[in-house]
Amino acid sequence: MQLAKGPEPTRSLCLTNFQGVSRMMPLAQDQVAYVKSVDHGDITMIQYTSNDSAHTPKDNVEPFQFLEIGFFNGLGYDLYREFMPQGECHSIEIACIEPGPREEGKWPWGNFAEMNPRYQQYLDENRLHCGDGNDVEYLHSVWTKDMKRADAPPLKIVVDDGAHVAEHMAQTVFFWLPRIEPRGLLIVEDIQPISEANAFRAQFLPQLMHDLHYCGDPKEAADSICFPTLFPFLASIHCEMHICVFERNDTPSKELSLEESTIPKSALDLKQCKSMLNGHW
């Protein structure tokens, strides 16, 4: 006699804001995903759920790397480490660079990061990296020297909670999306209602969504896609409330050149992408 199999456990992300409004986002069966973020009192939870383990971290998840851009005072980072015990958690913060005039490449507005009681511990562990999260050369240095080690687990989740400036947010996508392992997630917070982030939502996102829905061969049609360095790695885009979640597809991660990793001039001006103009859709 053959017993009928029950339904496979459902897997999803639960996106919940501080008012308790939730939305479920489906996950692939092999996808690692649970994040918990506190952003200046506005709580966003992004966590793994299933019908056999609701709202609890999975203890059997393989080790993975997590990167936060924007440590600030470390409140969110502390929660990430608590909530993701299998994660090797890294964070980038500009405020802990050498104090001094900004025009000299220094930081004049105080070191917010040292307010965290574990500040020195995180530095000693080489998990807190002091530098500009919008500087491609600095990002490349952190990635190649501190994260892409022979003994390092795969990079699966990146969360941008940094300056909330459109150029910086788009730069995060261009640098990190190709380096995230298949079925990982890149999360950009505070896409609204901050005016400095408007171009990310109004100029960058439409181009990326256009590329996501392109079903031809870009090699056969010049200017058919807007972002050829991102197009091969993107599986889906989910935007809700104040965040966007970019899901990696099954294409292996790739080490792009610094030029390929740098935000292009067209990123925040959709009129520069020919396929976005009238008559090209």
Side-chain angles (χ1 to χ4, degrees):
M1 182 177 68
Q2 231 179 0
L3 295 177
K5 286 185 64 177
E8 291 291 327
T10 57
R11 303 181 68 246
S12 59
L13 281 182
C14 177
L15 279 64
T16 308
N17 69 0
F18 70 102
Q19 295 173 320
V21 179
S22 299
R23 177 176 180 272
M24 305 306 292
M25 167 184 155
L27 291 179
Q29 285 300 316
D30 60 347
Q31 195 170 23
V32 173
Y34 49 82
V35 180
K36 183 176 181 180
S37 168
V38 177
D39 179 23
H40 308 295
D42 180 1
I43 302 175
T44 300
M45 294 183 66
I46 308 167
Q47 64 187 65
Y48 173 98
T49 66
S50 75
N51 61 10
D52 62 348
S53 58
H55 304 293
T56 57
K58 298 290 285 185
D59 294 330
N60 60 350
V61 171
E62 292 293 324
F64 62 94
Q65 272 189 339
F66 164 88
L67 171 66
E68 172 196 48
I69 299 171
F71 181 87
F72 190 55
N73 60 16
L75 176 61
Y77 181 78
D78 288 341
L79 283 172
Y80 289 134
R81 287 182 61 133
E82 176 187 351
F83 198 70
M84 299 186 292
Q86 294 88 349
E88 179 186 294
C89 296
H90 293 259
S91 189
I92 292 175
E93 174 57 53
I94 193 172
C96 53
I97 64 174
E98 182 181 357
R102 193 72 193 100
E103 56 270 21
E104 296 180 9
K106 301 174 184 178
W107 186 257
W109 297 293
N111 185 352
F112 318 125
E114 67 180 356
M115 296 167 59
N116 190 292
R118 287 164 291 279
Y119 170 68
Q120 191 59 50
Q121 172 193 332
Y122 295 155
L123 289 174
D124 294 342
E125 293 174 347
N126 205 23
R127 295 293 181 262
L128 174 59
H129 310 280
C130 297
D132 187 349
N134 189 51
D135 183 331
V136 174
E137 291 188 1
Y138 176 71
L139 294 178
H140 185 259
S141 175
V142 170
W143 171 241
T144 55
K145 295 179 181 179
D146 302 322
M147 295 180 67
K148 194 181 179 184
R149 313 179 313 273
D151 64 337
L155 177 62
K156 282 288 190 175
I157 304 174
V158 174
V159 174
D160 185 320
D161 190 20
H164 311 315
V165 174
E167 179 185 350
H168 296 199
M169 298 155 83
Q171 181 58 75
T172 290
V173 180
F174 273 94
F175 187 88
W176 292 108
L177 186 69
R179 292 169 169 84
I180 296 173
E181 292 300 316
R183 295 299 162 182
L185 300 173
L186 189 155
I187 299 161
V188 179
E189 297 194 9
D190 297 306
I191 64 168
Q192 61 178 2
I194 303 170
S195 60
E196 291 82 359
N198 282 346
F200 180 85
R201 186 180 68 258
Q203 301 290 328
F204 175 73
L205 271 180
Q207 296 184 74
L208 198 57
M209 294 188 71
H210 167 272
D211 289 356
L212 178 64
H213 291 93
Y214 179 75
C215 57
D217 184 351
K219 295 179 181 178
E220 297 178 359
D223 303 316
S224 57
I225 56 176
C226 301
F227 303 137
T229 58
L230 300 180
F231 169 74
F233 303 100
L234 190 61
S236 67
I237 302 172
H238 304 260
C239 296
E240 186 83 5
M241 298 175 287
H242 304 290
I243 71 170
C244 279
V245 180
F246 303 89
E247 179 190 7
R248 279 282 275 108
N249 59 17
D250 295 318
T251 301
S253 60
K254 185 176 181 180
E255 191 63 39
L256 301 181
S257 68
L258 290 184
E259 182 180 0
E260 293 171 317
S261 302
T262 301
I263 178 177
K265 294 180 180 179
S266 62
L268 300 179
D269 183 3
L270 58 80
K271 292 181 180 178
Q272 292 193 43
C273 179
K274 291 183 179 180
S275 61
M276 295 293 293
L277 302 178
N278 290 337
H280 287 266
W281 280 78

